Amino acid sequence: MRVALAGGTRRGRVVGTVQAGLLVGLLASRAYSGILGKCWVAGGVRGIRAAHRGAGGAGQHAVAAARALTSPPAGRLADRIGGRSTLAIVLAIAVAGWAALALGHRELGWLVVGTVLLDVGVWSNQVVNQTMLFARDGALHSRLNTLYFSTRFLGIAAGSTLGVVNWSAYGWPQVGLVAVTCLVVAAPIACSRAVSR
């Protein structure tokens, strides 16, 4: 509804801002639930739980903050240079993320860089896709959004399955190679004029 009210020239900006708001709300709810949960944890368990959540929780929040900060610029970029060009950029970011993750199986720094790049690429991709989707006839928005998220989650399930199979058989570098291959194969299709006009 917010996109429909914004009009044609600012769709990407609106989608990016709405997604950033959702992500910030998610971060705030996690922080609030963490504080509330600590009231219910008794002495010894409290220390174990805090140690377990410390670095991992901070890392998750940092990655989520990066995605929240980059969603609005991705939408504005889609408005300015178009969906296809922006998709090419965010898919390149995701490829760079997987390349860093492939190196990260032995180096923590590469793992951090890869995680942030991959997350930013994937969430920016969602902003751009929805920006292009909302450029279509308003009467189709609900159906197209349903179709988009259904195929997105089917893709996530297929990717998870491929990841587990490759991890079990060949190890972490093969997972990265399969992911990069999938992105490189998908990029020309996603960025083609016929798909994204």
Side-chain angles (χ1 to χ4, degrees):
M1 180 174 179
R2 178 95 168 108
V3 174
L5 294 173
T9 60
R10 296 180 17 205
R11 282 187 189 95
R13 181 180 194 163
V14 172
V15 171
T17 301
V18 169
Q19 182 167 293
L22 291 170
L23 294 169
V24 169
L26 180 66
L27 280 173
S29 68
R30 284 182 179 172
Y32 177 74
S33 67
I35 292 167
L36 188 62
K38 286 183 180 179
C39 298
W40 296 97
V41 180
V45 177
R46 183 180 207 169
I48 294 169
R49 206 169 157 196
H52 175 70
R53 297 177 90 186
Q60 288 174 352
H61 283 81
V63 170
R67 104 174 49 122
L69 289 172
T70 56
S71 290
R76 287 193 299 272
L77 189 62
D79 287 339
R80 191 167 55 246
I81 68 171
R84 285 185 303 131
S85 299
T86 309
L87 266 182
I89 292 167
V90 299
L91 289 174
I93 292 169
V95 168
W98 271 113
L101 285 170
L103 297 171
H105 73 286
R106 291 201 173 101
E107 296 285 336
L108 181 60
W110 284 114
L111 184 64
V112 170
V113 168
T115 301
V116 171
L117 286 174
L118 180 61
D119 204 61
V120 165
V122 167
W123 284 92
S124 296
N125 178 49
Q126 179 169 304
V127 170
V128 176
N129 283 328
Q130 287 193 288
T131 299
M132 292 191 303
L133 180 149
F134 289 130
R136 306 280 181 159
D137 179 10
L140 299 175
H141 287 179
S142 295
R143 284 176 275 178
L144 289 174
N145 212 31
T146 299
L147 181 63
Y148 169 70
F149 277 102
S150 297
T151 55
R152 178 180 168 88
F153 286 118
L154 285 172
I156 291 168
S160 297
T161 302
L162 273 175
V164 168
V165 167
N166 281 280
W167 173 275
S168 300
Y170 307 107
W172 181 247
Q174 179 71 16
V175 173
L177 179 64
V178 169
V180 168
T181 302
C182 288
L183 284 168
V184 168
V185 168
I189 299 166
C191 298
S192 74
R193 187 178 304 276
V195 171
S196 57
R197 61 188 164 143

